[in-house]
Amino acid sequence: MSLLIVAPTTREARAIGSGCQVTGTGEAGEQALAALLREQKPDSVLIAGLCGGLDPSLGPGHLILAREVMDEKGEGLQPPAMTVTNARRALRNEGPRFVCSRLVTVGKPVATPDAKRDLWNEHGAAGVDMETAAFARIATEHGADWMALRAVIDPAAMALPGSLHGWNGQASELAIGLRMALRPTDWLAGGRLAVALRAASRALRAGTPIVARVTRDTVPLGDDLLA
């Protein structure tokens, strides 16, 4: 099966390595993904990247293999069950720390432990991001299956630096760094986030090829019955 691997930002794609294409974020990212789907016509899309942790048991670098993604309205989409089962088995056998759980997608960063707790209680999702639900919907609309793998960067108990509370995915890394440098109150939280980023990036680099391989090799049951 043909597979398109995408990540929202250059930083995430760089962590994953070769073969991952950057979509961007927000509406521009959705449009870019739709264009890639029209051009390449893959059988499946693997959405990979970073996320915030909602499950208090997860730390930086834990992977979340999505068994469902929900938007803020509570509407959910599910990837192919057989592919999820095979990916879960492969991840368990090959070592990266992971959970197979729900993701929730929201429109802005979930920046404080209290906000993360509230989202955890509302949705029971292990992690939160700003793209997966929209990307999964677009893949489905274009006739492609989807899978999602996210690595926790900021766990449930970690507050994001104040400079990131309004982040919309569009600011450059340099702009973010300069903004933090000008806010001494962000220095400690920013340092913790930088350490967590290294762990999350290593996890993405280790886990994405495993899930990609399984996704390519698995024929969903519906297709198998039609063969």
Side-chain angles (χ1 to χ4, degrees), residues 61-76:
H62 273 97
L63 293 171
I64 301 174
L65 176 69
R67 58 174 171 77
E68 183 179 28
V69 61
M70 301 185 72
D71 61 21
E72 290 181 279
K73 298 177 182 178
E75 297 176 355

Side-chain angles (χ1 to χ4, degrees), residues 23-213:
T23 59
T25 60
E27 290 185 9
E30 294 172 27
Q31 292 169 3
L33 175 59
L36 286 170
L37 288 164
R38 288 192 297 269
E39 176 186 343
Q40 299 188 22
K41 296 180 173 57
D43 297 306
S44 295
V45 179
L46 174 54
I47 306 157
L50 304 173
C51 71
L54 301 179
D55 181 340
S57 71
L58 303 182
H62 273 97
L63 293 171
I64 301 174
L65 176 69
R67 58 174 171 77
E68 183 179 28
V69 61
M70 301 185 72
D71 61 21
E72 290 181 279
K73 298 177 182 178
E75 297 176 355
L77 288 170
Q78 296 178 340
M82 182 178 295
T83 311
V84 172
T85 296
N86 291 345
R88 185 172 64 235
R89 183 181 300 116
L91 287 170
R92 186 169 59 242
N93 291 340
E94 298 178 43
R97 300 173 300 172
F98 82 100
V99 296
C100 183
S101 186
R102 178 180 293 154
L103 288 170
V104 60
T105 296
V106 298
K108 61 182 180 179
V110 183
T112 67
D114 285 349
K116 292 177 184 179
R117 180 200 59 222
D118 291 345
L119 207 58
W120 163 249
N121 286 333
E122 180 179 358
H123 294 290
V128 57
D129 64 61
M130 296 170 62
E131 303 88 16
T132 300
F135 284 12
R137 174 181 52 78
I138 291 167
T140 301
E141 290 173 352
H142 284 77
D145 290 326
W146 65 274
M147 292 284 288
L149 184 71
R150 293 280 183 163
V152 173
I153 177 172
D154 54 306
M158 180 187 288
L160 291 175
S163 299
L164 294 180
H165 285 203
W167 184 74
N168 62 5
Q170 304 302 324
S172 70
E173 292 184 15
L174 178 60
I176 293 170
L178 288 173
R179 197 157 59 224
M180 286 190 188
L182 294 173
R183 294 184 58 163
T185 54
D186 281 359
W187 292 352
L188 181 58
R192 289 172 177 162
L193 195 65
V195 173
L197 174 62
R198 289 196 288 272
S201 296
R202 287 194 300 269
L204 269 183
R205 184 172 290 272
T208 303
I210 297 170
V211 178
R213 184 192 71 227

